[in-house]
């Protein structure tokens, strides 16, 4: 039986609250942007941010905010999966690229799915590479696609 199958919705909600707290304490721009997870089921994560604090002169979402929302969605997925697997690692974005498909003029939702990477390598002192794709949706319209490669480094026990 997998870890995810034993996890309840209440536990997922608690993990999302911890993720939000972690973002706000360690990545201050996330709080200013009002980035917040909206759904997590163990396999997929959805994160949103309101348009108002992220708006540009064209009354659409600022490109930097779009990139940050996508990056934090991917980072958040890795963080959540590490938490579920009960392993620790320092998560960094090693590489990322984004395609802006349409202007974002409503609150977007960024969505990603877990590729089933082996996080237990962290316990053996090895880094883990996780490729993730994050799609930003504006209602039923795909507005951006982010492809990132995250790396989780084993934390040193000093």
């Amino acid at each position: 039986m997998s870890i995810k199958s034993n996890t309840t919705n209440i536990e997922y909600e608690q993990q999302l609250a911890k993720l939000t707290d972690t973002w706000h304490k360690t990545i201050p721009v996330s709080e200013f942007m009002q980035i917040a997870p909206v759904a997590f089921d163990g396999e997929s994560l959805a994160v949103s941010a309101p348009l108002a604090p992220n708006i540009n002169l064209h009354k659409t979402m600022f490109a930097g905010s779009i990139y940050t929302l996508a990056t934090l969605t991917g980072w958040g997925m890795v963080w959540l999966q590490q938490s579920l697997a009960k392993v620790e690692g320092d998560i960094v974005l090693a590489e990322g690229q984004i395609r802006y498909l349409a202007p974002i003029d409503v609150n977007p939702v960024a969505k990603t799915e877990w590729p089933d990477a082996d996080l237990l390598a962290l316990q053996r002192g090895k880094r883990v590479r996780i490729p993730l794709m994050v799609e930003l949706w504006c209602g039923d319209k795909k507005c951006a696609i982010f492809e990132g490669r995250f790396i989780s480094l084993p934390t040193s026990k000093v």
Side-chain angles (χ1 to χ4, degrees):
M1 217 179 243
S2 75
I3 295 169
K4 295 170 190 92
S5 65
N6 292 327
T7 306
T8 66
N9 287 338
I10 292 171
E11 290 170 308
Y12 287 146
E13 288 175 20
Q14 291 170 341
Q15 289 300 316
L16 291 181
K18 288 179 187 175
L19 173 61
T20 302
D21 189 53
T22 298
W23 276 338
H24 291 180
K25 286 181 178 173
T26 62
I27 307 167
V29 72
S30 67
E31 187 171 19
F32 176 81
M33 290 177 60
Q34 299 175 28
I35 293 176
V38 293
F40 178 63
D41 64 7
E43 300 294 331
S44 60
L45 173 65
V47 178
S48 190
L51 190 60
N54 299 293
I55 204 159
N56 64 23
L57 68 157
H58 306 291
K59 307 287 188 244
T60 59
M61 188 173 256
F62 175 63
S65 292
I66 298 168
Y67 192 91
T68 301
L69 175 59
T71 300
L72 287 177
T73 299
W75 189 98
M77 175 59 97
V78 177
W79 187 92
L80 287 164
Q81 294 298 332
Q82 286 183 177
S83 179
L84 288 175
K86 298 186 180 356
V87 296
E88 291 184 22
D90 293 324
I91 306 161
V92 296
L93 176 65
E95 183 178 351
Q97 66 179 35
I98 194 163
R99 289 184 311 229
Y100 301 99
L101 306 174
I104 295 178
D105 56 7
V106 297
N107 295 351
V109 176
K111 299 177 182 180
T112 191
E113 295 196 12
W114 184 245
D116 202 29
D118 178 17
L119 294 174
L120 297 180
L122 290 167
Q123 291 177 334
R124 298 186 301 273
K126 299 193 181 283
R127 70 176 57 196
V128 179
R129 291 172 183 81
I130 304 116
L132 286 174
M133 182 173 70
V134 178
E135 297 178 338
L136 273 80
W137 291 85
C138 305
D140 60 356
K141 183 178 184 180
K142 192 184 308 181
C143 294
I145 300 171
F146 172 85
E147 293 180 65
R149 185 168 46 96
F150 293 85
I151 295 179
S152 187
L153 305 165
T155 55
S156 58
K157 306 286 185 192
V158 180

